[in-house]
Amino acid sequence: MVCSLVRRASVCEHSFSKEIETRCGRRRGAMAATGEVRVPETFGGRMIGSPEGAGERRVIFHSDMNAFYASVEQAERPELRGVPLVVGGHEELRHGIVLAKSAQAKAAGVKTGEALWEARAKCPGLVVVPPRYEVYQAYSAMARRIYYQYTDLVEPFGLDEAWLDLTGSLPLLGGDPARTAAEISGRIKAELGCTVSVGVSWNKIFAKFGSDFRKPDAITFITPQNYRCRVWEAPVSELLYVGAATRAKLHSSGIDRIGELACASPELLRRRLGKIGLVLRAFARGEDATPVKPYDQARNEVDRTVKSFGNGLTAPHDIVSASDAKALVYLLSESVAQRLREARFRASTVSIGVRSARDLASYSRQTTLRRATNVTGVVARTAWGLLAANEPLDGEHPLRGLHVRASNLEPCDAPQQLELAFDARRRMLEDLDETIDDLRRRFGNTCIQRGAELLDESLLGLDIKKENVVHPVGYFYD
């Protein structure tokens, strides 16, 4: 199986290279290399265009599991294979959008993020299944266990994507990146029942571009010999961190392809986009030297500095009363404070996010505490105070969703300024939270709830902490 995959990867690589070289031969002459201009050495704590990476040819894989949620459902339930399938949110809770789609649903025109009723109109035989995040997390962990058999440098980018640095381990694996990529792809398919697209390059940005270049179940190499045609010919929106707003700004400057971004004037990019413009130029030129951050299995996340903890929810119905709003605020605060304690942090800043049901407009408010805390009652009362001070909470101003966030963190073992008077109530609340946490570890998060959380019957039994999904880590984390 591995041999056939290697042959397929080699044949595809050769045919794609010939096709692209022919197609863009004329453009290559037009894109004469401009003079080298030094880019910022750091951005958001990450090294960009660092001299340390200039002469070193790393071997970076980016593995992207195709249609992940839908693929897992089809792997778990063979009767769903080959049928148009989407994983959709709970319509009764007003979360009825397409979260993931199978290849058959994609062929029918179904798009991720659209409403389920729109998807059904496009595909009358569509099968909709609810999300099962604990199953997806288990499959993500199984995929990482396979990756770890090839390198210890594995950096997840969400549940379904990961970078692997095989620079040091590849010589021990035979020295052939095509064979190793094919072996990983084959094992994921055989052991998990899912397919992956693998991009291989000397930097993380181009490796991710490669995994997106051909889908599904493909292996794509972005090399120093082919990147000017393969990458530079692509629309600028294909580059990581070029969204709709950035694309519009670049288009207004006559920059529509990645190659045009790579050859653009640094002064122009700085003026139009600020510092990020020079970073994107470095990305386009293949000058990204950011390392693959190792995955900390003990903490179950990439080893990084956590800056905040938050939870938000679109309410099952419009919030039109103070009691319903208070129930949701306390439910969200419960999850935030519990996660703070699990990670051994205290927060000095509490903020809320509010979304109107009328026009879906959003705003946020925050306040700084006199003393950092991870006590549920303190976080909840602070968040509730912010909401009550900014919203009338009546039928004329309905709310669609709320968000609670704790930030400005410090470790629990950090020293705190002592109070002149002993705060017996605070100590009692800390002991109460510790007892509740112990009960929830043993019997589940819904085994005990606060009275304020029972004011809205539609929220009964809802485990916000369990359903909280950690989204892809930003590329520019510290």
Side-chain angles (χ1 to χ4, degrees):
M1 181 178 181
V2 171
C3 291
S4 64
L5 283 170
V6 172
R7 286 196 297 271
R8 186 183 66 184
S10 300
V11 170
C12 290
E13 186 68 21
H14 177 70
S15 62
F16 262 77
S17 295
K18 285 190 64 178
E19 176 187 344
I20 294 176
E21 287 288 346
T22 301
R23 188 181 66 208
C24 70
R26 290 189 297 272
R27 286 186 62 86
R28 178 183 291 177
M31 288 185 175
T34 59
E36 292 296 319
V37 178
R38 186 177 180 83
V39 299
E41 292 187 0
T42 63
F43 184 84
R46 309 300 299 273
M47 292 193 306
I48 302 293
S50 167
E52 288 86 350
E56 177 187 357
R57 290 304 178 200
R58 298 183 295 167
V59 181
I60 308 297
F61 286 12
H62 184 268
S63 179
D64 185 354
M65 301 180 74
N66 306 132
F68 181 51
Y69 291 179
S71 295
V72 169
E73 294 296 340
Q74 290 178 324
E76 289 276 301
R77 300 169 58 185
E79 70 273 14
L80 296 177
R81 296 173 186 171
V83 304
L85 168 77
V86 299
V87 178
H90 300 287
E91 292 179 277
E92 64 276 11
L93 297 180
R94 303 199 301 179
H95 303 163
I97 63 171
V98 175
L99 301 175
K101 59 188 181 297
S102 67
Q104 295 77 17
K106 181 179 180 180
V110 175
K111 297 180 180 179
T112 301
E114 70 181 354
L116 289 176
W117 66 266
E118 294 177 298
R120 290 192 180 99
K122 295 177 179 178
C123 185
L126 191 68
V127 176
V128 181
V129 298
R132 299 185 296 163
Y133 294 115
E134 68 282 356
V135 176
Y136 309 146
Q137 290 168 348
Y139 269 73
S140 180
M142 287 189 287
R144 287 195 299 271
R145 282 197 288 271
I146 292 175
Y147 301 152
Y148 276 124
Q149 296 177 36
Y150 297 87
T151 176
D152 61 332
L153 297 177
V154 176
E155 178 181 346
F157 194 56
L159 290 178
D160 57 338
E161 301 181 39
W163 280 288
L164 294 74
D165 188 340
L166 284 91
T167 308
S169 60
L170 191 62
L172 305 176
L173 301 169
D176 185 350
R179 175 177 290 275
T180 302
E183 185 175 318
I184 291 174
S185 174
R187 289 190 60 187
I188 294 289
K189 184 184 295 184
E191 298 176 30
L192 275 63
C194 303
T195 62
V196 295
S197 293
V198 181
V200 184
S201 190
W202 75 91
N203 66 77
K204 291 167 64 177
I205 298 299
F206 282 2
K208 176 164 174 54
F209 180 94
S211 69
D212 292 333
F213 190 74
R214 279 187 288 149
K215 291 177 179 289
D217 195 16
I219 299 171
T220 302
F221 284 77
I222 305 297
T223 68
Q225 290 73 38
N226 71 13
Y227 79 94
R228 287 176 181 252
C229 286
R230 183 159 291 186
V231 179
W232 283 13
E233 279 293 297
V236 72
S237 58
E238 299 295 318
L239 193 66
L240 185 65
Y241 281 105
V242 177
T246 301
R247 181 186 61 190
K249 291 181 180 179
L250 291 171
H251 175 73
S252 68
S253 300
I255 299 173
D256 295 305
R257 295 181 179 269
I258 295 177
E260 293 166 346
L261 172 62
C263 299
S265 161
E267 291 74 20
L268 170 67
L269 295 175
R270 185 190 292 275
R271 185 171 64 251
R272 296 290 289 136
L273 302 176
K275 191 175 182 181
I276 187 63
L278 301 184
V279 175
L280 294 176
R281 181 178 184 269
F283 284 179
R285 295 164 69 89
E287 295 172 346
D288 170 49
T290 54
V292 172
K293 289 279 285 183
Y295 183 81
D296 186 342
Q297 299 182 71
R299 294 176 59 194
N300 196 33
E301 61 179 14
V302 175
D303 185 15
R304 69 188 189 278
T305 301
V306 180
K307 294 188 175 181
S308 66
F309 292 85
N311 267 113
L313 183 72
T314 298
H317 57 80
D318 288 349
I319 302 171
V320 296
S321 67
S323 61
D324 288 351
K326 191 171 188 178
L328 184 52
V329 166
Y330 269 74
L331 197 61
L332 294 168
S333 300
E334 189 90 53
S335 172
V336 170
Q338 188 176 348
R339 291 167 57 208
L340 278 170
R341 294 190 294 272
E342 288 177 352
R344 304 294 300 160
F345 280 111
R346 295 187 295 250
S348 297
T349 300
V350 175
S351 59
I352 61 166
V354 180
R355 171 166 288 191
S356 169
R358 283 187 168 180
D359 55 7
L360 301 183
S362 301
Y363 70 87
S364 61
R365 297 289 185 270
Q366 70 176 40
T367 187
T368 299
L369 305 173
R370 188 164 56 90
R371 184 175 183 177
T373 186
N374 57 21
V375 174
T376 298
V378 176
V379 173
R381 285 194 298 273
T382 304
W384 171 243
L386 285 170
L387 182 63
N390 289 277
E391 284 292 331
L393 300 174
D394 55 28
E396 296 182 2
H397 302 83
L399 305 180
R400 182 173 178 83
L402 294 174
H403 192 281
V404 174
R405 181 175 298 276
S407 57
N408 197 5
L409 307 179
E410 65 178 36
C412 280
D413 56 3
Q416 283 191 309
Q417 178 66 47
L418 296 176
E419 302 282 351
L420 291 178
F422 178 71
D423 191 345
R425 176 173 172 77
R426 175 182 289 272
R427 181 59 188 169
M428 180 191 70
L429 292 175
E430 291 173 350
D431 291 342
L432 176 62
D433 281 338
E434 184 177 343
T435 301
I436 292 174
D437 289 347
D438 182 59
L439 288 171
R440 286 176 170 161
R441 278 191 295 268
R442 295 163 60 191
F443 305 111
N445 288 324
T446 58
C447 72
I448 183 169
Q449 293 180 283
R450 297 173 189 268
E453 299 170 17
L454 305 178
L455 297 174
D456 186 345
E457 292 185 359
S458 67
L459 300 178
L460 294 180
L462 184 61
D463 187 350
I464 288 184
K465 180 177 180 294
K466 181 180 179 182
E467 295 185 3
N468 179 66
V469 179
V470 179
H471 293 282
V473 177
Y475 194 79
F476 298 113
Y477 59 79
D478 289 339

